[in-house]
Each structure stands twice: as C-alpha cells, then as structure tokens.
Amino acid sequence: MALKDKEYRCTVEVTLQIIGGKWKSVLLWHLSHKTLRFSQLQRRLPDCTQKMLTQQLRELEADGMIHRQVYAEVPPRVEYSLTPRGVSVVPILSLMCDWGRVFLAESEMEVREQAAAS
C-alpha cells in the first residue's frame, strides 16, 4: 500500500509501515554498516526465506530506503546499500539495538535471581 493512499493519525504508524515487520529493521541495520550482496544478507538472516528477503528488499527499495545496484557481469552481481533516507533511520535503529541489549541483560538477571530464589 502506498503511504499516500492512507490517512495516518499517528506518525509512529508511518514509521512502522516503512521499517516494521520481522526483517526490514534488521536489513537496514546490517546495511548501515556496509554495502552487502544478496547472498551476504541471506547469511546474516538464516531464518528468512529467499522469497521473504526478496520481498522485504523490494519494499525497502520502493520506499526509498535502500539502493539496489545491478552490475552487468556474469554471473550478475547485485549489491544493496542505504540511501540518504535509509541513513536517516540509523539513529533509531541504534537506539533499538541499545534497548534490546539492556532488555536482554535485565532478562538474564531476572532469570538468575529467580533461579537463586528457588
């Protein structure tokens, strides 16, 4: 669905429309570090099917978040990188990464405390 076809009441909804879902944020995070080929992305997301990876990359490209560069070689080489719009979301992804790290640490501590109390 094109963003212009929907009226949004909350801009968080817009953000989630673009980077939400199971794989888009992770793809953007990996691409924030360097340009990657399709096979490199596949290796970084082993639980993501080829079909889903292709779909997510196409949606991110359509939303102007990533650039797809096809090289006229045999075999063809395709590389993905962030566009300036994609780079603009990296601070958000960095905060998400930090929050996840803290959450995991707190969760591990809670598990240890519960085990010690048993």
Side-chain angles (χ1 to χ4, degrees), residues 6 9 25 38 52 55 71 83-84 103 105 116:
K6 183 174 180 185
R9 294 177 180 240
S25 295
F38 186 87
M52 179 57 70
Q55 177 185 335
Y71 294 91
T83 62
F103 179 85

Side-chain angles (χ1 to χ4, degrees), residues 88-104:
S88 74
V89 80
V90 172
I92 295 167
L93 298 174
S94 183
L95 288 171
M96 289 171 64
C97 182
D98 293 343
W99 185 89
R101 188 177 299 115
V102 170
F103 179 85
L104 285 176

Side-chain angles (χ1 to χ4, degrees), residues 1 10 13-14 22-23 25 27 29 38 42 48-50 59 79-80 85 88 90 94 100 106:
M1 170 193 322
C10 176
E13 189 178 358
V14 176
K22 189 170 182 177
W23 303 112
S25 295
L27 286 166
W29 181 248
F38 186 87
Q42 276 186 308
C48 184
T49 65
Q50 182 173 341
E59 289 177 13
E79 292 182 341
Y80 296 90
R85 182 179 281 172
S88 74
V90 172
S94 183
E106 289 174 349

Side-chain angles (χ1 to χ4, degrees), residues 48-63:
C48 184
T49 65
Q50 182 173 341
K51 178 181 176 184
M52 179 57 70
L53 179 56
T54 299
Q55 177 185 335
Q56 298 290 276
L57 289 168
R58 284 181 182 159
E59 289 177 13
L60 287 168
E61 184 182 13
D63 289 329

